[in-house]
PDB file of all heavy atoms in Angstrom:
ATOM      1  N   ASP Y   1       0.800  -1.211   0.008  1.00 97.00           N
ATOM      2  CA  ASP Y   1      -0.008   0.009  -0.006  1.00 97.00           C
ATOM      3  C   ASP Y   1       0.841   1.272   0.003  1.00 97.00           C
ATOM      4  O   ASP Y   1       0.355   2.333  -0.371  1.00 97.00           O
ATOM      5  CB  ASP Y   1      -0.946   0.004   1.191  1.00 97.00           C
ATOM      6  CG  ASP Y   1      -0.243  -0.137   2.534  1.00 97.00           C
ATOM      7  OD1 ASP Y   1       0.863  -0.744   2.570  1.00 97.00           O
ATOM      8  OD2 ASP Y   1      -0.789   0.352   3.537  1.00 97.00           O
ATOM      9  N   VAL Y   2       2.108   1.169   0.375  1.00 97.00           N
ATOM     10  CA  VAL Y   2       2.968   2.356   0.433  1.00 97.00           C
ATOM     11  C   VAL Y   2       4.258   2.233  -0.394  1.00 97.00           C
ATOM     12  O   VAL Y   2       4.914   3.222  -0.669  1.00 97.00           O
ATOM     13  CB  VAL Y   2       3.355   2.741   1.885  1.00 97.00           C
ATOM     14  CG1 VAL Y   2       2.143   3.217   2.656  1.00 97.00           C
ATOM     15  CG2 VAL Y   2       4.020   1.597   2.619  1.00 97.00           C
ATOM     16  N   ILE Y   3       4.624   1.030  -0.759  1.00 96.00           N
ATOM     17  CA  ILE Y   3       5.835   0.791  -1.558  1.00 96.00           C
ATOM     18  C   ILE Y   3       5.458   0.042  -2.839  1.00 96.00           C
ATOM     19  O   ILE Y   3       4.760  -0.974  -2.788  1.00 96.00           O
ATOM     20  CB  ILE Y   3       6.881  -0.039  -0.765  1.00 96.00           C
ATOM     21  CG1 ILE Y   3       7.306   0.698   0.509  1.00 96.00           C
ATOM     22  CG2 ILE Y   3       8.104  -0.331  -1.628  1.00 96.00           C
ATOM     23  CD1 ILE Y   3       8.213  -0.105   1.427  1.00 96.00           C
ATOM     24  N   GLU Y   4       5.969   0.519  -3.963  1.00 97.00           N
ATOM     25  CA  GLU Y   4       5.794  -0.163  -5.231  1.00 97.00           C
ATOM     26  C   GLU Y   4       7.105  -0.900  -5.514  1.00 97.00           C
ATOM     27  O   GLU Y   4       8.078  -0.281  -5.925  1.00 97.00           O
ATOM     28  CB  GLU Y   4       5.475   0.835  -6.333  1.00 97.00           C
ATOM     29  CG  GLU Y   4       5.093   0.197  -7.637  1.00 97.00           C
ATOM     30  CD  GLU Y   4       4.686   1.196  -8.690  1.00 97.00           C
ATOM     31  OE1 GLU Y   4       4.708   2.439  -8.414  1.00 97.00           O
ATOM     32  OE2 GLU Y   4       4.337   0.771  -9.804  1.00 97.00           O
ATOM     33  N   PRO Y   5       7.159  -2.212  -5.221  1.00 97.00           N
ATOM     34  CA  PRO Y   5       8.397  -2.943  -5.401  1.00 97.00           C
ATOM     35  C   PRO Y   5       8.595  -3.500  -6.808  1.00 97.00           C
ATOM     36  O   PRO Y   5       7.633  -3.858  -7.488  1.00 97.00           O
ATOM     37  CB  PRO Y   5       8.272  -4.083  -4.369  1.00 97.00           C
ATOM     38  CG  PRO Y   5       6.812  -4.357  -4.367  1.00 97.00           C
ATOM     39  CD  PRO Y   5       6.134  -3.023  -4.611  1.00 97.00           C
ATOM     40  N   PHE Y   6       9.842  -3.568  -7.215  1.00 97.00           N
ATOM     41  CA  PHE Y   6      10.239  -4.171  -8.490  1.00 97.00           C
ATOM     42  C   PHE Y   6      11.444  -5.039  -8.206  1.00 97.00           C
ATOM     43  O   PHE Y   6      12.169  -4.822  -7.234  1.00 97.00           O
ATOM     44  CB  PHE Y   6      10.625  -3.088  -9.485  1.00 97.00           C
ATOM     45  CG  PHE Y   6       9.499  -2.167  -9.861  1.00 97.00           C
ATOM     46  CD1 PHE Y   6       9.241  -1.052  -9.091  1.00 97.00           C
ATOM     47  CD2 PHE Y   6       8.729  -2.409 -10.970  1.00 97.00           C
ATOM     48  CE1 PHE Y   6       8.221  -0.185  -9.403  1.00 97.00           C
ATOM     49  CE2 PHE Y   6       7.678  -1.541 -11.288  1.00 97.00           C
ATOM     50  CZ  PHE Y   6       7.428  -0.434 -10.512  1.00 97.00           C
ATOM     51  N   SER Y   7      11.715  -5.997  -9.075  1.00 97.00           N
ATOM     52  CA  SER Y   7      12.934  -6.778  -8.990  1.00 97.00           C
ATOM     53  C   SER Y   7      13.484  -6.969 -10.391  1.00 97.00           C
ATOM     54  O   SER Y   7      12.735  -7.031 -11.372  1.00 97.00           O
ATOM     55  CB  SER Y   7      12.717  -8.122  -8.291  1.00 97.00           C
ATOM     56  OG  SER Y   7      11.894  -8.967  -9.054  1.00 97.00           O
ATOM     57  N   ALA Y   8      14.796  -7.061 -10.461  1.00 95.00           N
ATOM     58  CA  ALA Y   8      15.469  -7.286 -11.744  1.00 95.00           C
ATOM     59  C   ALA Y   8      16.821  -7.892 -11.458  1.00 95.00           C
ATOM     60  O   ALA Y   8      17.308  -7.956 -10.316  1.00 95.00           O
ATOM     61  CB  ALA Y   8      15.642  -5.965 -12.489  1.00 95.00           C
ATOM     62  N   GLY Y   9      17.454  -8.349 -12.555  1.00 94.00           N
ATOM     63  CA  GLY Y   9      18.779  -8.939 -12.443  1.00 94.00           C
ATOM     64  C   GLY Y   9      19.746  -8.273 -13.375  1.00 94.00           C
ATOM     65  O   GLY Y   9      19.365  -7.661 -14.377  1.00 94.00           O
ATOM     66  N   ILE Y  10      21.022  -8.386 -13.051  1.00 92.00           N
ATOM     67  CA  ILE Y  10      22.069  -7.918 -13.943  1.00 92.00           C
ATOM     68  C   ILE Y  10      22.002  -8.726 -15.233  1.00 92.00           C
ATOM     69  O   ILE Y  10      22.233  -8.225 -16.328  1.00 92.00           O
ATOM     70  CB  ILE Y  10      23.469  -8.076 -13.273  1.00 92.00           C
ATOM     71  CG1 ILE Y  10      23.557  -7.280 -11.940  1.00 92.00           C
ATOM     72  CG2 ILE Y  10      24.573  -7.686 -14.218  1.00 92.00           C
ATOM     73  CD1 ILE Y  10      23.384  -5.781 -12.084  1.00 92.00           C
ATOM     74  N   GLU Y  11      21.640  -9.996 -15.084  1.00 93.00           N
ATOM     75  CA  GLU Y  11      21.382 -10.882 -16.211  1.00 93.00           C
ATOM     76  C   GLU Y  11      20.087 -11.642 -15.914  1.00 93.00           C
ATOM     77  O   GLU Y  11      19.537 -11.505 -14.816  1.00 93.00           O
ATOM     78  CB  GLU Y  11      22.563 -11.845 -16.420  1.00 93.00           C
ATOM     79  CG  GLU Y  11      22.939 -12.614 -15.171  1.00 93.00           C
ATOM     80  CD  GLU Y  11      24.335 -13.229 -15.239  1.00 93.00           C
ATOM     81  OE1 GLU Y  11      25.295 -12.521 -15.535  1.00 93.00           O
ATOM     82  OE2 GLU Y  11      24.391 -14.444 -14.985  1.00 93.00           O
ATOM     83  N   LYS Y  12      19.626 -12.398 -16.841  1.00 93.00           N
ATOM     84  CA  LYS Y  12      18.331 -13.088 -16.717  1.00 93.00           C
ATOM     85  C   LYS Y  12      18.518 -14.593 -16.499  1.00 93.00           C
ATOM     86  O   LYS Y  12      19.185 -15.228 -17.297  1.00 93.00           O
ATOM     87  CB  LYS Y  12      17.530 -12.818 -17.980  1.00 93.00           C
ATOM     88  CG  LYS Y  12      16.116 -13.209 -17.936  1.00 93.00           C
ATOM     89  CD  LYS Y  12      15.415 -12.703 -19.207  1.00 93.00           C
ATOM     90  CE  LYS Y  12      14.001 -13.138 -19.228  1.00 93.00           C
ATOM     91  NZ  LYS Y  12      13.275 -12.513 -20.325  1.00 93.00           N
ATOM     92  N   HIS Y  13      17.927 -15.103 -15.429  1.00 94.00           N
ATOM     93  CA  HIS Y  13      17.906 -16.542 -15.147  1.00 94.00           C
ATOM     94  C   HIS Y  13      16.432 -16.966 -15.001  1.00 94.00           C
ATOM     95  O   HIS Y  13      15.553 -16.095 -14.924  1.00 94.00           O
ATOM     96  CB  HIS Y  13      18.638 -16.896 -13.871  1.00 94.00           C
ATOM     97  CG  HIS Y  13      20.105 -16.592 -13.921  1.00 94.00           C
ATOM     98  ND1 HIS Y  13      20.933 -16.748 -12.826  1.00 94.00           N
ATOM     99  CD2 HIS Y  13      20.904 -16.118 -14.908  1.00 94.00           C
ATOM    100  CE1 HIS Y  13      22.157 -16.381 -13.142  1.00 94.00           C
ATOM    101  NE2 HIS Y  13      22.176 -15.998 -14.400  1.00 94.00           N
ATOM    102  N   ASP Y  14      16.162 -18.232 -14.934  1.00 94.00           N
ATOM    103  CA  ASP Y  14      14.780 -18.669 -14.699  1.00 94.00           C
ATOM    104  C   ASP Y  14      14.409 -18.459 -13.253  1.00 94.00           C
ATOM    105  O   ASP Y  14      15.248 -18.497 -12.358  1.00 94.00           O
ATOM    106  CB  ASP Y  14      14.637 -20.158 -15.033  1.00 94.00           C
ATOM    107  CG  ASP Y  14      14.716 -20.446 -16.516  1.00 94.00           C
ATOM    108  OD1 ASP Y  14      14.374 -19.526 -17.303  1.00 94.00           O
ATOM    109  OD2 ASP Y  14      15.119 -21.557 -16.905  1.00 94.00           O
ATOM    110  N   LEU Y  15      13.112 -18.249 -13.000  1.00 97.00           N
ATOM    111  CA  LEU Y  15      12.594 -18.127 -11.635  1.00 97.00           C
ATOM    112  C   LEU Y  15      12.815 -19.454 -10.913  1.00 97.00           C
ATOM    113  O   LEU Y  15      12.521 -20.524 -11.442  1.00 97.00           O
ATOM    114  CB  LEU Y  15      11.110 -17.786 -11.656  1.00 97.00           C
ATOM    115  CG  LEU Y  15      10.427 -17.568 -10.340  1.00 97.00           C
ATOM    116  CD1 LEU Y  15      11.035 -16.457  -9.537  1.00 97.00           C
ATOM    117  CD2 LEU Y  15       8.932 -17.307 -10.558  1.00 97.00           C
ATOM    118  N   ASN Y  16      13.386 -19.402  -9.726  1.00 97.00           N
ATOM    119  CA  ASN Y  16      13.701 -20.587  -8.964  1.00 97.00           C
ATOM    120  C   ASN Y  16      12.429 -21.193  -8.385  1.00 97.00           C
ATOM    121  O   ASN Y  16      11.740 -20.559  -7.594  1.00 97.00           O
ATOM    122  CB  ASN Y  16      14.690 -20.233  -7.833  1.00 97.00           C
ATOM    123  CG  ASN Y  16      15.186 -21.424  -7.081  1.00 97.00           C
ATOM    124  OD1 ASN Y  16      14.474 -22.370  -6.797  1.00 97.00           O
ATOM    125  ND2 ASN Y  16      16.466 -21.390  -6.706  1.00 97.00           N
ATOM    126  N   PRO Y  17      12.070 -22.438  -8.772  1.00 97.00           N
ATOM    127  CA  PRO Y  17      10.846 -23.042  -8.283  1.00 97.00           C
ATOM    128  C   PRO Y  17      10.837 -23.242  -6.776  1.00 97.00           C
ATOM    129  O   PRO Y  17       9.751 -23.250  -6.156  1.00 97.00           O
ATOM    130  CB  PRO Y  17      10.774 -24.385  -9.025  1.00 97.00           C
ATOM    131  CG  PRO Y  17      12.121 -24.629  -9.607  1.00 97.00           C
ATOM    132  CD  PRO Y  17      12.811 -23.305  -9.694  1.00 97.00           C
ATOM    133  N   LEU Y  18      11.996 -23.395  -6.142  1.00 98.00           N
ATOM    134  CA  LEU Y  18      12.034 -23.508  -4.691  1.00 98.00           C
ATOM    135  C   LEU Y  18      11.635 -22.199  -4.016  1.00 98.00           C
ATOM    136  O   LEU Y  18      11.023 -22.207  -2.957  1.00 98.00           O
ATOM    137  CB  LEU Y  18      13.421 -23.980  -4.214  1.00 98.00           C
ATOM    138  CG  LEU Y  18      13.799 -25.394  -4.628  1.00 98.00           C
ATOM    139  CD1 LEU Y  18      15.212 -25.712  -4.185  1.00 98.00           C
ATOM    140  CD2 LEU Y  18      12.813 -26.412  -4.086  1.00 98.00           C
ATOM    141  N   ALA Y  19      12.004 -21.064  -4.624  1.00 98.00           N
ATOM    142  CA  ALA Y  19      11.588 -19.779  -4.083  1.00 98.00           C
ATOM    143  C   ALA Y  19      10.081 -19.643  -4.144  1.00 98.00           C
ATOM    144  O   ALA Y  19       9.455 -19.189  -3.174  1.00 98.00           O
ATOM    145  CB  ALA Y  19      12.255 -18.655  -4.866  1.00 98.00           C
ATOM    146  N   VAL Y  20       9.486 -20.063  -5.241  1.00 98.00           N
ATOM    147  CA  VAL Y  20       8.031 -20.018  -5.402  1.00 98.00           C
ATOM    148  C   VAL Y  20       7.380 -20.899  -4.326  1.00 98.00           C
ATOM    149  O   VAL Y  20       6.411 -20.496  -3.661  1.00 98.00           O
ATOM    150  CB  VAL Y  20       7.586 -20.467  -6.802  1.00 98.00           C
ATOM    151  CG1 VAL Y  20       6.090 -20.562  -6.927  1.00 98.00           C
ATOM    152  CG2 VAL Y  20       8.176 -19.531  -7.843  1.00 98.00           C
ATOM    153  N   LYS Y  21       7.929 -22.070  -4.120  1.00 98.00           N
ATOM    154  CA  LYS Y  21       7.393 -23.024  -3.145  1.00 98.00           C
ATOM    155  C   LYS Y  21       7.458 -22.494  -1.704  1.00 98.00           C
ATOM    156  O   LYS Y  21       6.477 -22.536  -0.962  1.00 98.00           O
ATOM    157  CB  LYS Y  21       8.156 -24.359  -3.235  1.00 98.00           C
ATOM    158  CG  LYS Y  21       7.642 -25.428  -2.300  1.00 98.00           C
ATOM    159  CD  LYS Y  21       8.422 -26.725  -2.485  1.00 98.00           C
ATOM    160  CE  LYS Y  21       7.787 -27.823  -1.649  1.00 98.00           C
ATOM    161  NZ  LYS Y  21       8.613 -28.282  -0.572  1.00 98.00           N
ATOM    162  N   VAL Y  22       8.634 -21.997  -1.334  1.00 98.00           N
ATOM    163  CA  VAL Y  22       8.821 -21.471   0.033  1.00 98.00           C
ATOM    164  C   VAL Y  22       7.902 -20.280   0.274  1.00 98.00           C
ATOM    165  O   VAL Y  22       7.318 -20.156   1.355  1.00 98.00           O
ATOM    166  CB  VAL Y  22      10.319 -21.140   0.259  1.00 98.00           C
ATOM    167  CG1 VAL Y  22      10.489 -20.303   1.523  1.00 98.00           C
ATOM    168  CG2 VAL Y  22      11.127 -22.402   0.323  1.00 98.00           C
ATOM    169  N   MET Y  23       7.820 -19.409  -0.687  1.00 98.00           N
ATOM    170  CA  MET Y  23       6.962 -18.215  -0.529  1.00 98.00           C
ATOM    171  C   MET Y  23       5.496 -18.620  -0.424  1.00 98.00           C
ATOM    172  O   MET Y  23       4.761 -18.066   0.405  1.00 98.00           O
ATOM    173  CB  MET Y  23       7.170 -17.249  -1.707  1.00 98.00           C
ATOM    174  CG  MET Y  23       8.547 -16.616  -1.723  1.00 98.00           C
ATOM    175  SD  MET Y  23       8.893 -15.545  -0.344  1.00 98.00           S
ATOM    176  CE  MET Y  23       7.960 -14.087  -0.826  1.00 98.00           C
ATOM    177  N   ALA Y  24       5.068 -19.615  -1.216  1.00 98.00           N
ATOM    178  CA  ALA Y  24       3.692 -20.101  -1.122  1.00 98.00           C
ATOM    179  C   ALA Y  24       3.396 -20.683   0.257  1.00 98.00           C
ATOM    180  O   ALA Y  24       2.324 -20.469   0.815  1.00 98.00           O
ATOM    181  CB  ALA Y  24       3.437 -21.144  -2.204  1.00 98.00           C
ATOM    182  N   GLU Y  25       4.388 -21.413   0.811  1.00 98.00           N
ATOM    183  CA  GLU Y  25       4.205 -21.963   2.160  1.00 98.00           C
ATOM    184  C   GLU Y  25       4.020 -20.861   3.205  1.00 98.00           C
ATOM    185  O   GLU Y  25       3.343 -21.063   4.220  1.00 98.00           O
ATOM    186  CB  GLU Y  25       5.404 -22.825   2.533  1.00 98.00           C
ATOM    187  CG  GLU Y  25       5.486 -24.138   1.777  1.00 98.00           C
ATOM    188  CD  GLU Y  25       6.776 -24.908   2.014  1.00 98.00           C
ATOM    189  OE1 GLU Y  25       7.645 -24.450   2.800  1.00 98.00           O
ATOM    190  OE2 GLU Y  25       6.921 -25.985   1.390  1.00 98.00           O
ATOM    191  N   ALA Y  26       4.596 -19.691   2.939  1.00 98.00           N
ATOM    192  CA  ALA Y  26       4.472 -18.539   3.851  1.00 98.00           C
ATOM    193  C   ALA Y  26       3.256 -17.687   3.527  1.00 98.00           C
ATOM    194  O   ALA Y  26       3.013 -16.676   4.182  1.00 98.00           O
ATOM    195  CB  ALA Y  26       5.733 -17.698   3.801  1.00 98.00           C
ATOM    196  N   GLY Y  27       2.514 -18.069   2.469  1.00 98.00           N
ATOM    197  CA  GLY Y  27       1.295 -17.334   2.111  1.00 98.00           C
ATOM    198  C   GLY Y  27       1.517 -16.184   1.139  1.00 98.00           C
ATOM    199  O   GLY Y  27       0.652 -15.317   1.009  1.00 98.00           O
ATOM    200  N   VAL Y  28       2.655 -16.168   0.469  1.00 98.00           N
ATOM    201  CA  VAL Y  28       2.964 -15.111  -0.493  1.00 98.00           C
ATOM    202  C   VAL Y  28       3.137 -15.755  -1.887  1.00 98.00           C
ATOM    203  O   VAL Y  28       3.970 -16.611  -2.072  1.00 98.00           O
ATOM    204  CB  VAL Y  28       4.267 -14.351  -0.124  1.00 98.00           C
ATOM    205  CG1 VAL Y  28       4.547 -13.257  -1.128  1.00 98.00           C
ATOM    206  CG2 VAL Y  28       4.154 -13.778   1.293  1.00 98.00           C
ATOM    207  N   ASP Y  29       2.303 -15.333  -2.830  1.00 98.00           N
ATOM    208  CA  ASP Y  29       2.308 -15.926  -4.171  1.00 98.00           C
ATOM    209  C   ASP Y  29       3.200 -15.147  -5.105  1.00 98.00           C
ATOM    210  O   ASP Y  29       2.914 -13.983  -5.428  1.00 98.00           O
ATOM    211  CB  ASP Y  29       0.884 -15.946  -4.734  1.00 98.00           C
ATOM    212  CG  ASP Y  29       0.765 -16.616  -6.076  1.00 98.00           C
ATOM    213  OD1 ASP Y  29       1.754 -17.260  -6.541  1.00 98.00           O
ATOM    214  OD2 ASP Y  29      -0.291 -16.473  -6.707  1.00 98.00           O
ATOM    215  N   ILE Y  30       4.303 -15.744  -5.525  1.00 98.00           N
ATOM    216  CA  ILE Y  30       5.152 -15.137  -6.558  1.00 98.00           C
ATOM    217  C   ILE Y  30       5.168 -15.994  -7.827  1.00 98.00           C
ATOM    218  O   ILE Y  30       6.036 -15.821  -8.677  1.00 98.00           O
ATOM    219  CB  ILE Y  30       6.605 -14.884  -6.040  1.00 98.00           C
ATOM    220  CG1 ILE Y  30       7.341 -16.190  -5.686  1.00 98.00           C
ATOM    221  CG2 ILE Y  30       6.591 -13.915  -4.861  1.00 98.00           C
ATOM    222  CD1 ILE Y  30       8.828 -16.003  -5.453  1.00 98.00           C
ATOM    223  N   SER Y  31       4.211 -16.873  -7.948  1.00 98.00           N
ATOM    224  CA  SER Y  31       4.182 -17.819  -9.077  1.00 98.00           C
ATOM    225  C   SER Y  31       4.045 -17.127 -10.438  1.00 98.00           C
ATOM    226  O   SER Y  31       4.430 -17.694 -11.461  1.00 98.00           O
ATOM    227  CB  SER Y  31       3.057 -18.843  -8.909  1.00 98.00           C
ATOM    228  OG  SER Y  31       1.800 -18.184  -8.918  1.00 98.00           O
ATOM    229  N   LYS Y  32       3.529 -15.907 -10.480  1.00 97.00           N
ATOM    230  CA  LYS Y  32       3.381 -15.182 -11.733  1.00 97.00           C
ATOM    231  C   LYS Y  32       4.615 -14.299 -12.027  1.00 97.00           C
ATOM    232  O   LYS Y  32       4.670 -13.676 -13.081  1.00 97.00           O
ATOM    233  CB  LYS Y  32       2.126 -14.307 -11.682  1.00 97.00           C
ATOM    234  CG  LYS Y  32       0.855 -15.043 -11.414  1.00 97.00           C
ATOM    235  CD  LYS Y  32       0.274 -15.663 -12.648  1.00 97.00           C
ATOM    236  CE  LYS Y  32      -1.130 -16.184 -12.420  1.00 97.00           C
ATOM    237  NZ  LYS Y  32      -1.176 -17.549 -11.985  1.00 97.00           N
TER     238      LYS Y  32
END
């Protein structure tokens, strides 16, 4: 509601599926 976050890389890699899994377990969806 107060911060507009962005993320980027110096280079491009695939999204780590373990990051998606761990975040989902914590209730945060980054699957998109």
Side-chain angles (χ1 to χ4, degrees):
D1 56 333
V2 292
I3 299 174
E4 188 176 0
F6 297 86
S7 67
I10 301 297
E11 53 197 53
K12 191 172 177 172
H13 297 175
D14 290 333
L15 182 60
N16 187 321
L18 293 177
V20 175
K21 181 179 187 248
V22 167
M23 293 294 283
E25 289 172 1
V28 181
D29 183 11
I30 64 168
S31 63
K32 303 276 190 271

